Amino acid sequence: MHRMRRAIYTTSFVALLLAAPAVADEGPMTYPFGRSHMSLNGNWPIIVDPYGTGAVDYRRRPRSDGFFRDAQSKSDADLIEYAFKNENTLRVPCDWNSQRPELLYYEGSVWYRQRFDLTRKPDRRYFLYFGAANYRADVYLNGEKLGSHISGFTPFEFDITKLATDGTNTLVVHVNSARDRNGVPTDQTDWWNYGGLTRDVLLIDTPLTFVRHYRIHLDPNDPRTIIGTIQLDGPKQAQPLQIAIPEAGIKHDVSTDQYGRAEFRIPAGNLKRWNPDDPKRYDVTIACNGDRVTEKIGFRTIKTARHQILLNDRPVFLRGICLHEEALGDGQRAVDRDQAEALLLLAKELNCNFVRLAHYPHNEWMVREADRLGMLVWSEIPVYWTVNFERAETLTNARTQLRDMIERDANRAAVIIWSVANETPRSDVRLKFLRQLIDDTRALDNTRLVSAALETHYDNPTTISIDDPLGEYLDVLGCNEYLGWYDGAPAKASTITWTTPFQKPLVISEFGAGAKLGHRGAKPKRWTEDYQGDVYRQQIAMLEKISFLAGTSPWILKDFRSPRRLLPEIQDGWNRKGLVSERGEKKIAFEILSEWYQQKDRENLSTAKVQNDPLHP
Ligand code: GCU
């Protein structure tokens, strides 16, 4: 395999790694878009291969002459039963399901080919970077296997310095979107299994020694100090570096050790704090001999105090909404900046300051746009419903996705919560599995909050208790509840009291109801905007009474494709719990929620007292 590196994990994470089953110890470089690169996006010739014929023969033996060879017939006598044709292409980045009607429901293998010309320089290295490929990707260059990757929502890369040739290089990627009972996610989800090369593909070139990973943020224990780590990759491990934030008058010199690693502490001076109303970001440059990377980064602190969430030491109420990584329109993965911006601006219009990116790490444009626009983010790995908690490989898979999610977005001020699971059934093996992920999260990043979306539990017919044993290990309790939709009539919400044994803030991470745009009717007619609106009114009245509530993210911003939603003329393969239709047309409930959020914003919780706050007695 063409990649081996020591990533910049905290020492405790290395200890964890050594303790538990192996997680591959590398992560893609930080900020690939900020490096010298060539985009390989475009229309790629493809072969749809439902039987995986390009990989295995009729005895299921791996083929040595598989499609990765991109074989060209040299004479009429040659027997070759496949070919990549320029007339038969798919757009990259994009899922294949939305590109052709016959591929809408397709789950299986597709082979992609891309050619690129290269004139290698002796003082440069070359990497192929994939933003993501759903679900399993086998990658070949010039007929040689570079490696494989599983998980449809995290980036991966290959060092091709040795394998690339001068002139034309042939890249072949075999993507298989088949669902896996033992996978992460497992084979049952409530979202469309969009397959393919769904995110950017880059050819990156770097100096022989370059800045592979870096983290920079305020010290959560001493916010007047900037701290961070840098990890070099290459022959010149020990060397001087400089961290510069010109606008803040900061220039700091530090040196890496013999492992190419450096840690730093810098007085923050009067650095402005990032917050949703004023998402201030600074140009931060990290430079070593021969390499420099500049990125826009915001600085803020996030923590909890009993039932409150404190942003920059001030209480904040998370006025949120959930969203899938699906663009406005007829159902396709959101893959670029504009599509991300369009979704986040809709959330802004809802008076949101927070989005829950469900149920998997969204593309990098989404979190960068949240950073730019000022939207707090809950980011999650797809440990969703009944993942196979018994299986060590499934845990390793989840741990790797967690590491890659955190590694990619660690410098995003917008991201405040890492979530390790959604609606997972209580059991000892599940608790052990999730505790491992929580420990990993704290070891990888102790500057953010850890949560999970728990399920409700009735103490008695009118009392819901957030007492899932997992709550003990979380910073923020997330809870999905569907009072008025799966659980009783809308008015039931008014009868419910909420309790919890945990002195922690609660975020209602889901509530909602389905409605088909334009369907109207007297309550209690389901699927009407009126019914959905009533559920929101009843929920809001109930939520206002929960003393330990620190935020909410209703399900969901936009109607989205789901193969589980099959009611004709209403759902037709769409989950209709959006506050807007798939094309962005508003339903009644949109207004109801945006008004409540406006009122919440006016309450301007920032003036509220911090509960038993040593800073403000
Ligand atoms: C669940 C789940 C979502 C799902 C939603 C629904 O809570 O987390 O992924 O789409 O409920 O039923 O609509």
Side-chain angles (χ1 to χ4, degrees), residues 436-451:
Q436 176 67 68
L437 296 176
I438 293 168
D439 293 348
D440 284 1
T441 308
R442 297 197 192 290
L444 282 162
D445 176 14
N446 59 3
T447 70
R448 291 182 172 83
L449 308 175
V450 185
S451 189

Side-chain angles (χ1 to χ4, degrees), residues 267-278:
N270 52 16
L271 206 66
K272 219 164 167 225
R273 300 282 187 89
W274 183 100
N275 67 72
D277 302 325
D278 180 8

Side-chain angles (χ1 to χ4, degrees), residues 9-28:
Y9 300 133
T10 59
T11 35
S12 50
F13 186 58
V14 173
L16 264 168
L17 268 182
L18 299 171
V23 170
D25 71 339
E26 71 249 284

Side-chain angles (χ1 to χ4, degrees), residues 1 4 56 66 122 205 286 320 458 476 535 564 575 613:
M1 298 302 159
M4 191 46 161
V56 294
D205 64 287
I286 296 179
Y458 277 87
V476 172
V535 167
R564 298 169 56 83
N575 183 312
D613 166 22

Side-chain angles (χ1 to χ4, degrees), residues 325-517:
E325 185 199 45
E326 195 179 79
L328 290 166
D330 294 326
Q332 72 155 117
R333 276 274 168 243
V335 296
D336 62 28
R337 182 200 305 272
D338 297 347
Q339 292 168 330
E341 184 187 35
L343 291 164
L344 295 174
L345 288 178
L346 208 46
K348 278 268 179 194
E349 216 182 312
L350 205 47
N351 292 317
C352 288
N353 62 2
F354 173 63
V355 285
R356 175 181 177 216
L357 303 182
H359 293 288
Y360 38 78
H362 287 208
N363 66 63
E364 200 164 339
W365 300 115
M366 192 72 85
V367 277
R368 286 182 182 279
E369 283 301 285
D371 228 27
R372 181 178 70 83
L373 294 168
M375 194 62 86
L376 297 161
V377 168
W378 160 310
S379 187
E380 184 166 288
I381 52 171
V383 176
Y384 178 93
W385 289 350
T386 51
V387 153
N388 188 345
F389 298 109
E390 314 272 351
R391 219 165 145 272
E393 292 77 13
T394 303
L395 176 59
T396 303
N397 180 347
R399 296 182 72 193
T400 306
Q401 292 190 42
L402 180 72
R403 192 264 338 265
D404 290 345
M405 170 176 78
I406 294 176
E407 206 54 78
R408 190 195 73 181
D409 300 335
N411 292 319
R412 301 282 70 73
V415 180
I416 56 166
I417 297 175
W418 300 119
S419 167
V420 296
N422 178 75
E423 291 186 357
T424 48
R426 299 186 193 192
S427 73
D428 293 347
V429 67
R430 165 254 196 188
L431 187 61
K432 186 161 176 287
F433 187 108
L434 297 182
R435 285 194 59 190
Q436 176 67 68
L437 296 176
I438 293 168
D439 293 348
D440 284 1
T441 308
R442 297 197 192 290
L444 282 162
D445 176 14
N446 59 3
T447 70
R448 291 182 172 83
L449 308 175
V450 185
S451 189
L454 310 175
E455 292 184 298
T456 53
H457 172 237
Y458 277 87
D459 264 1
N460 59 52
T462 59
T463 307
I464 293 180
S465 175
I466 314 271
D467 58 1
D468 184 321
L470 187 68
E472 184 70 42
Y473 309 98
L474 302 174
D475 300 312
V476 172
L477 308 169
C479 181
N480 297 356
E481 50 89 2
Y482 280 90
L483 287 156
W485 187 251
Y486 298 125
D487 181 358
K492 179 175 179 180
S494 61
T495 69
I496 300 295
T497 306
W498 290 75
T499 68
T500 181
F502 305 114
Q503 294 304 313
K504 299 181 180 183
L506 168 68
V507 170
I508 292 287
S509 38
E510 289 183 32
F511 74 83
K516 177 85 189 287
L517 180 82

Side-chain angles (χ1 to χ4, degrees), residues 313-328:
D313 295 320
R314 316 289 320 145
V316 61
F317 184 86
L318 302 181
R319 308 187 312 270
I321 192 75
C322 288
L323 60 145
H324 267 296
E325 185 199 45
E326 195 179 79
L328 290 166

Side-chain angles (χ1 to χ4, degrees), residues 125-143:
R125 292 169 63 192
Y126 300 90
F127 295 85
L128 280 174
Y129 178 92
F130 296 82
N134 189 43
Y135 176 70
R136 181 193 164 92
D138 298 300
V139 184
Y140 306 83
L141 185 68
N142 303 331

Side-chain angles (χ1 to χ4, degrees), residues 207-226:
L208 299 181
T209 300
F210 70 100
V211 178
R212 165 171 281 283
H213 289 144
Y214 55 90
R215 297 266 189 96
I216 181 164
H217 46 81
L218 294 177
D219 181 348
N221 307 316
D222 169 17
R224 285 157 303 171
T225 306
I226 297 170

